[in-house]
Amino acid sequence: MKGRNFFRTIQVKLVIIYLLLILVAMQLIGVYFISTVKNSLITSFTNNLKEQAGMLAQFSAPSLLPKLEAGDDSAVNTTEDLNLVVRNLFSISGAEVQVLDANGTVVATSLQVHQSYIGQKNKSLAVSRALQNIPDNEEEIIDEDNTRKKMIALPVTYNEKVVGAVYVVASMTDLYETVNRVNQIFFSGTLIALGLTGVLGILLAHTITNPIQGLTRQAEAVADGRFDLKAPVLGDDEIGRLSMAFNEMTIRLKEALSANEEENEKLVSVLSNMSDGVVAADERGVIIVWNRRALELLDAETFQDVKLSELLELSPEKMAELQTGRGRTLLIKREPTDPALRGAEHEGSLLRVTFTPIHRRGKGMTGTIAVLQDFTEQEKLEQSRRQFVANVSHELRTPLTTIKSYAEALGDGALEERELAERFVGVISNETERMIRLVTDLLHLSRLDSNQAPLRRRQTQIHEMLDEVADRFSFQLRQKSIGATVQVERGLKKAWLDRDQIDQVLDNLISNAIKYTLDGGTIQIAARKAGDGSLLEISVKDTGIGIPKKDLTRIFDRFYRVDKARSRNMGGTGLGLSIAREIVKAHGGTIALHSELNEGTTVSFTLPLLQEGGEA
């Protein structure tokens, strides 16, 4: 594997390319050069043979003439003289020269060992062609000794008549040895050139690969999140400019990543601290981003690999409709996940979901963002407001209708009857007082809601305050034969509180206890320390008719009455417990009510015992 990776490096590839280029170039040059040298040597060798054969043909023509023209003795040379000339003057190293007459018979030969050929006929095709006066007769042959030879046959003419032929066969061993030596020299030169090219290629490739290796190291460092390394700039060439550009890119990438991380931290911080839930889904509808508030609103631990439509229990058609525009909203009511909490007392939560599609240029919709808002309290407040307006209207309409009716009756002549007029005026007066009480309570609540009723705390004797409250209701208690007791924990003496407002709370609680306690019942007013001794707890317990369980959760709501007709007939405005709760809350305390139907009711509230109060 290491060897395979080694041959994949740029440096080795460059060296191999250089070597292959040199090898191809040398091979092309060698083939052309050696072929040219070989052809030149063969041409020169052949021309030399032809020149000597031609000279011999001219010289031997007169010697061959007597066999044709016997009468001309002056022009004829003897065969012995021709043999002597052929052996001495026309000897070619490693070659055999034969002179033949017009019949193809050997007249003279240059080799002593072939003297027996004289008088024999040479049946070579080249000789036959030469005797037919065909001048170009040459070929290369390989004899029995595997020696390459050049054969030439030239016609011998005299007065344009063929009188014989010259036959030359010369060895080409020296010529091919010369070609082989040239080949060896060229091969050696090629090896030397390849060696030098390899060394130079390694040096040259190193100058290219070294900066690339530096760039590779920096790229790996950047991939690992380290931006402190810089690629070496070794020159002003292309690689040098690439290194400078890479260093600049690294700096900008570091700045971009830092800015991106900062933006991500801001986004995470914003999402984590949002009061609304945020859920983002990709183009497939799978949730990819959410915040903690979304988990709380939907009572889930994670949204990993959950589809938005499944999470919100929406059909694909409804989901597609909500994703068609921006700011599409939907109200979703969720029941409690715990089956034990489902019912009238636990109405679940109401969520307002706003859908916003995410679009990318050229790709259409790539995701959806859903913003979840807890609409439960807002809906309750809206219902309370509507109910409050309806209750105020109803509470005012009844006395106003009564006053109008009796006033019209008085105007129609009831004033003439004194007893009837006095009764009508009394009814009008009572209804007017009832409206005054209602408006007074509303103004008091308004001041408490807007913090316009500041507390005027003063040191107050607890036992004295409770006794005074019981004394104020002594007449009503005697009327219904109700027994009242006051109990104060030993050691509990004083507390810092707004005496007037706490008196109003106690008056409301005791008044309600008297109203809903049957004749002969009992009311107990008690005070004690609660918690770790830092709280004052005051309770009012009666043995009255009690409150149904279904009404306990709304008993402190404004204008809420358990028995509406009876409460209104008893002169209540339905705001007493609401005012009591606001006063206790303004003191920093809490109020609670416990009741059993037909057994009685206990209302208790706690107030902090402040330090400046000293020992209570």
Side-chain angles (χ1 to χ4, degrees):
M1 183 61 69
K2 291 184 178 179
R4 183 181 299 177
N5 293 333
F6 173 76
F7 283 104
R8 290 179 178 176
T9 60
I10 294 179
Q11 186 171 0
V12 173
K13 290 179 179 179
L14 288 175
V15 173
I16 292 175
I17 289 173
Y18 293 149
L19 292 176
L20 290 176
L21 289 175
I22 292 299
L23 182 61
V24 170
M26 293 295 289
Q27 288 298 317
L28 292 176
I29 294 173
V31 169
Y32 175 76
F33 177 75
I34 293 174
S35 176
T36 302
V37 170
K38 179 180 177 182
N39 292 334
S40 177
L41 290 176
I42 292 176
T43 301
S44 178
F45 182 76
T46 302
N47 292 336
N48 186 30
L49 287 180
K50 286 182 177 181
E51 289 178 1
Q52 294 195 31
M55 292 175 59
L56 181 57
Q58 293 178 3
F59 183 80
S60 61
S63 300
L64 299 175
L65 187 59
K67 294 182 181 182
L68 299 175
E69 299 177 1
D72 192 357
D73 295 333
S74 60
V76 178
N77 293 320
T78 63
T79 302
E80 292 80 5
D81 295 336
L82 185 58
N83 282 322
L84 182 62
V85 170
V86 170
R87 286 194 301 269
N88 295 328
L89 298 179
F90 295 96
S91 62
I92 301 173
S93 178
E96 178 184 3
V97 180
Q98 294 179 359
V99 179
L100 302 97
D101 59 13
N103 296 320
T105 302
V106 178
V107 177
T109 180
S110 62
L111 295 180
Q112 188 67 31
V113 294
H114 290 169
Q115 291 297 318
S116 59
Y117 291 173
I118 296 174
Q120 295 182 8
K121 195 171 183 179
N122 192 332
K123 299 179 180 180
S124 174
L125 178 61
V127 173
S128 299
R129 289 169 57 86
L131 293 175
Q132 295 175 14
N133 200 17
I134 299 175
D136 190 9
N137 298 296
E138 62 178 78
E139 60 179 337
E140 289 186 11
I141 59 174
I142 299 176
D143 62 4
E144 295 83 357
D145 298 333
N146 201 24
T147 301
R148 188 179 294 274
K149 294 182 178 182
K150 188 73 173 181
M151 185 272 294
I152 296 176
L154 293 179
V156 178
T157 59
Y158 187 84
N159 293 331
E160 298 181 359
K161 290 182 180 181
V162 177
V163 295
V166 175
Y167 177 76
V168 180
V169 178
S171 174
M172 301 179 71
T173 302
D174 294 339
L175 184 146
Y176 279 99
E177 287 180 355
T178 302
V179 173
N180 290 334
R181 285 196 298 272
V182 172
N183 274 330
Q184 292 175 359
I185 293 172
F186 191 82
F187 181 74
S188 300
T190 300
L191 293 179
I192 295 173
L194 290 176
L196 293 176
T197 301
V199 174
L200 294 176
I202 292 174
L203 296 176
L204 181 60
H206 184 71
T207 61
I208 297 175
T209 57
N210 192 34
I212 295 177
Q213 290 174 353
L215 285 172
T216 304
R217 286 192 296 270
Q218 187 183 6
E220 292 174 350
V222 170
D224 293 336
R226 295 182 287 113
F227 299 93
D228 52 344
L229 295 180
K230 287 189 176 182
V233 181
L234 303 178
D236 194 25
D237 55 0
E238 290 82 357
I239 296 180
R241 289 193 291 271
L242 175 62
S243 299
M244 289 189 290
F246 196 90
N247 291 333
E248 182 67 20
M249 183 194 69
T250 302
I251 296 173
R252 294 187 179 181
L253 181 60
K254 181 179 180 181
E255 295 174 352
L257 288 177
S258 299
N260 189 32
E261 290 177 358
E262 183 178 353
E263 293 298 325
N264 286 337
E265 290 178 358
K266 291 179 181 178
L267 179 61
V268 170
S269 177
V270 169
L271 289 177
S272 300
N273 296 284
M274 283 181 64
S275 59
D276 297 335
V278 177
V279 177
D282 57 15
E283 64 274 9
R284 297 178 291 116
V286 179
I287 297 174
I288 54 176
V289 177
W290 62 87
N291 64 349
R292 184 175 61 251
R293 180 57 176 163
L295 295 175
E296 295 173 355
L297 291 175
L298 297 174
D299 193 18
E301 295 182 358
T302 182
F303 296 149
Q304 187 71 36
D305 298 328
V306 177
K307 286 193 173 183
L308 185 59
S309 58
E310 296 176 356
L311 179 68
L312 302 178
E313 298 179 356
L314 299 175
S315 64
E317 295 78 12
K318 185 66 176 178
M319 194 69 191
E321 178 185 350
L322 293 170
Q323 292 174 336
T324 54
R326 300 183 64 86
R328 292 293 185 95
T329 59
L330 177 69
L331 291 178
I332 299 177
K333 188 172 183 180
R334 295 183 62 84
E335 297 294 336
T337 55
D338 188 356
L341 298 178
R342 296 178 182 176
E345 298 180 3
H346 300 86
E347 299 179 356
S349 60
L350 186 65
L351 297 181
R352 180 180 180 181
V353 186
T354 303
F355 294 86
T356 302
I358 304 172
H359 295 279
R360 185 181 298 174
R361 183 178 301 174
K363 291 189 176 182
M365 192 186 73
T366 58
T368 305
I369 294 179
V371 179
L372 311 177
Q373 295 175 307
D374 190 354
F375 215 62
T376 308
E377 293 300 324
Q378 187 174 351
E379 182 65 19
K380 288 181 179 180
L381 290 175
E382 186 65 22
Q383 290 180 357
S384 299
R385 184 189 65 81
R386 292 193 295 266
Q387 186 176 2
F388 178 78
V389 173
N391 288 333
V392 170
S393 302
H394 183 72
E395 294 293 336
L396 290 176
R397 183 180 61 182
T398 302
L400 287 174
T401 302
T402 303
I403 292 172
K404 180 181 179 183
S405 299
Y406 282 91
E408 289 177 350
L410 291 173
D412 290 340
L415 286 174
E416 303 298 330
E417 301 179 15
R418 184 175 179 81
E419 294 182 0
L420 185 61
E422 288 179 354
R423 186 164 62 87
F424 282 5
V425 170
V427 172
I428 292 174
S429 177
N430 290 336
E431 294 297 329
T432 304
E433 288 179 0
R434 180 180 169 187
M435 286 193 297
I436 291 174
R437 287 196 304 272
L438 178 61
V439 173
T440 301
D441 288 345
L442 289 174
L443 290 174
H444 195 180
L445 273 176
S446 178
R447 287 196 298 271
L448 290 173
D449 290 339
S450 59
N451 295 323
Q452 293 181 356
L455 296 178
R456 295 180 176 86
R457 296 180 186 270
R458 59 192 174 98
Q459 199 173 51
T460 303
Q461 292 286 341
I462 303 299
H463 208 298
E464 178 186 349
M465 178 181 67
L466 298 182
D467 286 339
E468 289 183 1
V469 171
D471 290 341
R472 284 198 298 272
F473 289 92
S474 60
F475 178 74
Q476 292 92 325
L477 292 171
R478 286 195 300 270
Q479 280 186 327
K480 299 184 68 175
S481 300
I482 297 175
T485 59
V486 176
Q487 295 180 356
V488 179
E489 183 180 326
R490 182 176 296 179
L492 183 60
K493 298 179 180 179
K494 300 177 182 179
W496 283 81
L497 46 81
D498 188 325
R499 173 68 181 272
D500 295 336
Q501 295 199 30
I502 297 300
D503 279 344
Q504 185 176 357
V505 173
L506 292 171
D507 289 348
N508 282 327
L509 298 182
I510 296 174
S511 175
N512 287 338
I514 293 173
K515 288 178 184 177
Y516 300 107
T517 300
L518 300 177
D519 295 350
T522 60
I523 296 176
Q524 184 183 44
I525 307 171
R528 67 182 185 89
K529 288 183 179 180
D532 56 356
S534 62
L535 297 176
L536 168 64
E537 181 182 37
I538 300 175
S539 62
V540 177
K541 182 179 180 181
D542 62 53
T543 58
I545 60 176
I547 301 173
K549 189 175 181 180
K550 65 182 180 63
D551 296 317
L552 290 177
T553 57
R554 301 188 58 190
I555 197 66
F556 288 101
D557 291 352
R558 299 173 186 185
F559 294 109
Y560 187 80
R561 294 184 177 92
V562 177
D563 187 349
K564 296 179 174 57
R566 183 178 178 185
S567 299
R568 188 176 291 110
N569 292 335
M570 290 181 178
T573 63
L575 298 174
L577 289 178
S578 298
I579 294 174
R581 181 180 63 179
E582 296 301 327
I583 292 174
V584 171
K585 188 185 296 183
H587 278 77
T590 59
I591 187 169
L593 186 146
H594 302 280
S595 181
E596 291 290 337
L597 194 61
N598 299 322
E599 292 186 8
T601 302
T602 300
V603 182
S604 60
F605 62 92
T606 60
L607 303 173
L609 286 171
L610 303 179
Q611 295 294 330
E612 56 265 31
E615 288 188 7

